[in-house]
Amino acid sequence: MSTDVSVRNSVPRRPTSKAGPALHHGKYTFVVSFLLVPVGIYGLFVVSPYLQAIYISLTDWTGLTGGQTFVGLANYARLLDDEQFLIALRNNGILVVVVPAVTVLLGLFLASMLNVGRRGRSGVEGVRGSAVYRVVYFFPMVLSVAIIGVLFKYVFAPTQAGGILNGLLRAVGLDGWAQPWLGDPDFAFWIVLLVMIWSFVGFYVVLFSAAMQSIPKEIYEAALLDGAGRFMTFRQVTLPLVWDTVQVGWVYLAIQAMDAFALVHIMLGIGGGPSRSGDVLGLALYRSAFNSYRFGYASAIGVVLLLLTLVVAAVFMRVARRERVELS
Amino acid sequence: MTVVSSPPAPAPVAGPEHRPPGVGVGERAVNLLNGTFLLVWALITTLPLLWAIVSAFKSNSEFLAEPFGLPGEPHVENFSRAWTVANIGQYFVNSVVVVAISVPLTMLLGAMAAYVLARYEFPGNRIVYYGFVGGMIFPVFLALVPLFFVVRNLSALPGVGQFLGLNSHVSLALVYVAFSLPFTVFFLTAFFRTQPTSIAEAAIVDGCSHFGLFFRVMLPMAKPGLISIGLFNVLGHWNQYVLPVVLMNEPEKKVLAQGLAALAISQGYRGDWTALFAGLVIALLPVLVVYVLFQRQVQAGLTAGVLK
């Protein structure tokens, strides 16, 4: 990990204020004055909404002025009969499994090509132009998800609306493959998923590259001398040594993949696309709250999203905690 | 994994004539294949962006008739149409205003909180710290409903209420600050812990107050960390989508990401695609330029987010 803060292990982890009596003078006034505003803003806009949301999910609050009556778990019971919610839940489930898996695989593949993919006279080395690739691959990460959504809405648009993919298919004689991609319930959600992967891969290439560059070159030289092939080298050398980064990246990706709100909202519309086939929980929540003003119900969806996030984080932490390799 | 400590095996000594294998024809072919994969992904990444940029200079009929061709002449007027008629200019200014308030405030408040949490022992320190850090795992969607009402009710405050409430850029910036604090505090707390205590002691001996120590010594020393997390926040706030969609619904108050998405829906109906693409380019070029200029710092700042 080549971040600036990685040296923090060398200092005591506990906060210290052992700087003599002078520092104790007025310490509490200082601490309070520094914490007051950040904690106040955080409490007002983050903590209190989260706590309220959990309570609201137990009420029947509807309408901008309606009262809140406590109804227990009735909203949650209703969720189970809501077909639309179940579609959204299924889609979130798919996103959480497929997006991290494909992104990590592609990221590892490209990062290993980039850093150790070339075998020449001087042993294992990165490809030429790897610095340029690293810059280019990272482009989607700095773009707003709104820009990406709009861009791909038009990539996959029908030809009469300027859709470039259908135009490309026609140009190479594959007219039959042209589809109203985002208008077809069989494709719409999967295209959003692909776009999501497109936007994430580059970031993980850069992340894994950083981890791979900290692997000592001698290890690769040794593997080469022992006659290990590329795949063997990757399995036995590269992967174990970047495994820590991979597992952190995996959890982070799973949490990122939960939030497909912007892409689905922009590419498929507020309804979640044709037959609402591309719906996701964030969008279902938004519709319940700000289109139908069913605030209790919307908050129940939010709590489900939170539980799903916690479960995913816990599961991945457990699964990914395999044996670690110490480099020393 | 249990590590059994055993004396290290003597390193195998390679024979003097032993040259690395792998410069044969087969290896060279695989090298070539690898290069091809990398190039293909680079094209997949850049071609959609290039297409958007080229389309922004076309006329609407060219856009439909020759999706792959170059524009006959550069239709620069697309950009002025996007800027004025399609309101992208207004959205752009709105985004600049919000980010100009939210990022410095996030950095200042985040650094203040992180500093006392990292370097002062007081009852409740851990509670406040984990209160902040725990916010990283909560999905923002759960907060949306109450947040909408919290922000709406701010306009009822005496005095400052007229500057707050829904459709206020100050409110939106404050909400950005609040939702950025968990990661900012987390990152900067780790950073302030690395600062040597001896310098703090020296400053105190020289008669520095707690405030002076923070603003004149600690904050300047934390500059590398502040730059990383600052770039992270600039991009995050500039690109934020769901919060403005909920909190800003007056058309002239929208921020860029949100306004662009709304434009994509309305311009599609009007058939003025090239103004939309010009708007898209106006939105993506500043970010790409900043990124290319500061790519090392941006990559470090964003990847640090995962590695911490």
Side-chain angles (χ1 to χ4, degrees):
Chain A
M1 302 192 188
S2 61
T3 53
D4 294 322
V5 281
S6 57
V7 285
R8 78 182 149 122
N9 291 331
S10 59
V11 296
R13 296 184 61 86
R14 296 293 301 167
T16 48
S17 63
K18 305 184 278 240
L23 252 182
H24 286 291
H25 179 71
K27 186 179 103 176
Y28 287 108
T29 324
F30 173 71
V31 166
V32 170
S33 69
F34 260 38
L35 281 181
L36 201 61
V37 181
V39 170
I41 289 185
Y42 184 64
L44 178 65
F45 293 116
V46 178
V47 179
S48 102
Y50 279 131
L51 296 178
Q52 289 182 52
I54 292 169
Y55 174 74
I56 293 171
S57 77
L58 304 172
T59 72
D60 65 350
W61 186 19
T62 47
L64 281 169
T65 50
Q68 305 174 5
T69 316
F70 187 82
V71 293
L73 297 174
N75 286 323
Y76 296 91
R78 212 172 300 148
L79 282 177
L80 297 176
D81 296 326
D82 181 347
E83 249 174 67
Q84 194 48 44
F85 168 77
L86 295 176
I87 293 177
L89 187 64
R90 188 205 61 193
N91 284 346
N92 268 67
I94 295 173
L95 287 172
V96 156
V97 175
V98 176
V99 170
V102 177
T103 309
V104 164
L105 279 179
L106 257 176
L108 277 173
F109 178 75
L110 292 168
S112 58
M113 302 279 132
L114 212 51
N115 293 286
V116 291
R118 189 181 160 81
R119 293 191 160 184
R121 281 190 189 283
S122 55
V124 176
E125 56 194 43
V127 294
R128 276 186 215 115
S130 67
V132 176
Y133 283 130
R134 256 191 291 271
V135 173
V136 169
Y137 285 2
F138 209 72
F139 278 163
M141 192 61 203
V142 299
L143 296 181
S144 161
V145 66
I147 293 179
I148 293 170
V150 171
L151 180 59
F152 281 98
K153 186 185 171 76
Y154 284 91
V155 168
F156 293 102
T159 317
Q160 64 272 23
I164 188 88
L165 180 67
N166 281 347
L168 194 67
L169 289 172
R170 294 222 162 96
V172 296
L174 291 170
D175 292 40
W177 289 26
Q179 302 280 346
W181 301 103
L182 298 175
D184 187 327
D186 288 337
F187 291 111
F189 171 71
W190 295 99
I191 287 179
V192 171
L193 185 141
L194 276 183
V195 171
M196 200 176 219
I197 292 171
W198 177 87
S199 70
F200 288 160
V201 166
F203 178 78
Y204 290 89
V205 174
V206 171
L207 188 70
F208 297 151
S209 286
M212 285 177 192
Q213 280 176 338
S214 63
I215 301 175
K217 279 273 172 281
E218 298 82 55
I219 298 188
Y220 285 109
E221 277 159 27
L224 204 56
L225 286 175
D226 289 345
R230 284 164 199 265
F231 186 68
M232 179 80 121
T233 311
F234 177 77
R235 271 283 311 274
Q236 305 290 339
V237 179
T238 312
L239 193 56
L241 291 176
V242 298
W243 187 250
D244 269 4
T245 312
V246 170
Q247 74 183 55
V248 179
W250 199 295
V251 177
Y252 195 76
L253 261 167
I255 291 173
Q256 274 184 303
M258 290 273 194
D259 175 10
F261 173 82
L263 281 184
V264 177
H265 187 204
I266 295 167
M267 292 177 67
L268 303 182
I270 184 80
S275 321
R276 305 208 153 173
S277 57
D279 210 0
V280 288
L281 290 176
L283 196 62
L285 182 154
Y286 180 85
R287 269 198 322 267
S288 301
F290 300 104
N291 283 9
S292 340
Y293 304 114
R294 296 164 73 197
F295 297 117
Y297 194 68
S299 298
I301 299 178
V303 172
V304 171
L305 195 59
L306 170 65
L307 293 179
L308 204 58
T309 311
L310 294 178
V311 167
V312 162
V315 166
F316 276 124
M317 294 288 193
R318 260 197 106 75
V319 171
R321 196 185 297 138
R322 297 244 186 91
E323 37 208 283
R324 301 173 50 148
V325 178
E326 306 289 336
L327 243 194
S328 58
Chain B
M1 179 175 90
T2 42
V3 179
V4 183
S5 57
S6 59
V13 183
E17 306 86 12
H18 199 126
R19 295 205 16 251
V23 283
V25 180
E27 290 291 353
R28 241 179 265 161
V30 183
N31 282 347
L32 196 69
L33 197 64
N34 287 353
T36 314
F37 281 128
L38 290 169
L39 191 65
V40 166
W41 190 261
L43 291 177
I44 292 177
T45 307
T46 45
L47 283 184
L49 299 175
L50 264 175
W51 174 64
I53 294 171
V54 171
S55 298
F57 290 97
K58 289 181 174 175
S59 70
N60 275 313
S61 53
E62 281 175 328
F63 175 73
L64 282 187
E66 303 162 52
F68 306 104
L70 289 174
E73 50 176 311
H75 291 265
V76 189
E77 74 276 5
N78 292 340
F79 287 86
S80 57
R81 220 160 59 244
W83 188 264
T84 53
V85 182
N87 259 338
I88 290 290
Q90 180 70 53
Y91 302 149
F92 194 94
V93 173
N94 291 344
S95 276
V96 170
V97 168
V98 172
V99 172
I101 302 172
S102 65
V103 172
L105 206 55
T106 305
M107 306 307 294
L108 179 68
L109 297 179
M112 282 162 56
Y115 174 67
V116 291
L117 291 174
R119 303 194 68 93
Y120 288 81
E121 217 167 299
F122 57 90
N125 180 309
R126 296 289 85 189
I127 295 173
V128 176
Y129 176 72
Y130 286 114
F132 273 120
V133 170
M136 287 195 290
I137 194 100
F138 277 64
V140 65
F141 294 93
L142 178 57
L144 288 184
V145 168
L147 184 67
F148 175 82
F149 289 97
V150 165
V151 173
R152 194 182 72 159
N153 294 341
L154 285 182
S155 61
L157 286 177
V160 291
Q162 54 181 316
F163 303 109
L164 299 171
L166 297 172
N167 294 307
S168 146
H169 293 131
V170 179
S171 289
L172 186 65
L174 288 177
V175 171
Y176 284 4
V177 171
F179 279 90
S180 309
L181 279 177
F183 183 63
T184 308
V185 168
F186 176 60
F187 186 92
L188 288 177
T189 303
F191 203 87
F192 279 120
R193 285 208 182 113
T194 67
Q195 311 282 44
T197 312
S198 55
I199 295 184
E201 282 166 1
I204 292 294
V205 169
D206 286 350
C208 215
S209 69
H210 288 288
F211 292 94
L213 178 62
F214 175 71
F215 285 107
R216 308 226 309 265
V217 181
M218 288 306 194
L219 212 48
M221 272 177 19
K223 213 166 147 195
L226 289 173
I227 289 175
S228 291
I229 190 77
L231 284 165
F232 179 87
N233 282 326
V234 168
L235 284 173
H237 293 187
W238 183 262
N239 293 338
Q240 176 55 239
Y241 184 71
V242 65
L243 289 171
V245 163
V246 170
L247 299 175
M248 317 293 280
N249 32 46
E250 276 176 27
E252 67 274 22
K253 292 294 171 69
K254 287 182 172 160
V255 296
L256 191 53
Q258 177 197 12
L260 193 70
L263 188 67
I265 294 160
S266 64
Q267 290 305 89
Y269 294 131
R270 269 182 242 150
D272 190 357
W273 294 286
T274 53
L276 173 67
F277 276 88
L280 202 66
V281 170
I282 293 173
L284 67 80
L285 271 191
V287 191
L288 277 191
V289 168
V290 168
Y291 164 62
V292 172
L293 289 180
F294 298 99
Q295 43 108 355
R296 213 165 268 284
Q297 290 92 328
V298 172
Q299 289 195 354
L302 295 192
T303 48
V306 177
L307 291 177
K308 285 288 84 215

